[in-house]
Every structure is written in structure tokens, then in C-alpha cells.
Amino acid sequence: MRTFLIAAAAVACMAFVGTAQASEALAKEKGCLACHDINKKKMGPSYKDVAAKYKGKADAEAMLVAKVSGAKGHPKVKANEEETKTIVKWILAM
Ligand code: HEC
């Protein structure tokens, strides 16, 4: 049982890391990381700062997806709404 739990936790952990890496690659491919960095401010705020700012806000994901993909107060991006959602989820989980 114990071994099983450890194995299950390891698998869950690897799956999570895999998703995070895929999202980071997507953010890079879509040019988000040209203006944003995970840890420090560039042209846009760091993603860690964005995550901290919206921590605990239930509608943060929908609001940010609408803001970024709707180009309202945010520069136009190459990512479509679905891709933006994936990246925003990744940012908010930081
Ligand atoms: C041309 C530069 C540029 C690109 C490319 C860019 N951003 Fe931004 N981003 C900014 C700037 C500048 C701000 C700060 C102004 C603002 O809040 O709109 C910002 C703010 C944000 C915020 C915080 C908004 C808020 O209300 O706090 C998020 C989330 C974000 N960007 C996500 C993304 C994602 C995801 C992508 C890629 C699909 C992306 N950005 C691409 C410049 C950029």
C-alpha cells in the first residue's frame, strides 16, 4: 500500500511537471516570454507577480483570458483563446 501510494504520488508529480513544461514551451512559442519573464519584470509584469496579484480570485482565469486574447489593454497576441487559457492557467498556478 505504502509503495503504491509513493508510486502514485511520483506519477502525479511527473504529470504535473510535464504539463508545466508544455505550457512554458507554449508561452515561449507564442511570444509571451518576449515581453514577460517568470521571475522578473520586463515590458510586462513577471508571471509570479501576476499569480500573486490574482491569488484567490475566482474569476481571475476568465478575466485574464478575456483581457489577453481580446487585446483589451493588452498588446495583441499570437495565441488563440484556447492557447491563452492554457498559458493563463499555468501562470495562475505559480
Ligand atoms: C508586446 C509585449 C507583450 C506580449 C507579446 C505579451 N504581453 Fe502580456 N503584458 C504586456 C504588458 C505591457 C502588460 C501590462 C499591461 C497590462 O496589464 O495589460 C501585460 C500584462 C499581462 C498579464 C497581466 C494582466 C493583468 O491584468 O494583470 C497577463 C496575464 C499577460 N500579460 C499574459 C500574456 C500572455 C499569456 C501572453 C502570450 C499569449 C502575453 N501576455 C504576451 C505585454 C505583452
Side-chain angles (χ1 to χ4, degrees), residues 31-32 35-36 43-45 47 53-54 64 67-68 73-75 77 87:
C32 311
C35 296
H36 294 278
M43 186 175 165
Y47 283 157
K53 182 170 156 193
Y54 292 98
L64 289 176
K67 178 172 176 178
V68 175
H74 186 277
V77 295
I87 301 168

Side-chain angles (χ1 to χ4, degrees), residues 14-62:
M14 279 186 301
F16 180 74
V17 169
T19 314
Q21 276 169 352
S23 304
E24 182 169 354
L26 186 65
K28 198 172 206 168
E29 186 195 321
K30 297 298 164 186
C32 311
L33 298 183
C35 296
H36 294 278
D37 187 88
I38 293 171
N39 294 302
K40 54 181 194 292
K41 192 178 179 332
K42 283 170 96 175
M43 186 175 165
S46 85
Y47 283 157
K48 286 251 165 80
D49 283 350
V50 174
K53 182 170 156 193
Y54 292 98
K55 204 175 181 68
K57 295 201 177 106
D59 59 348
E61 181 185 320

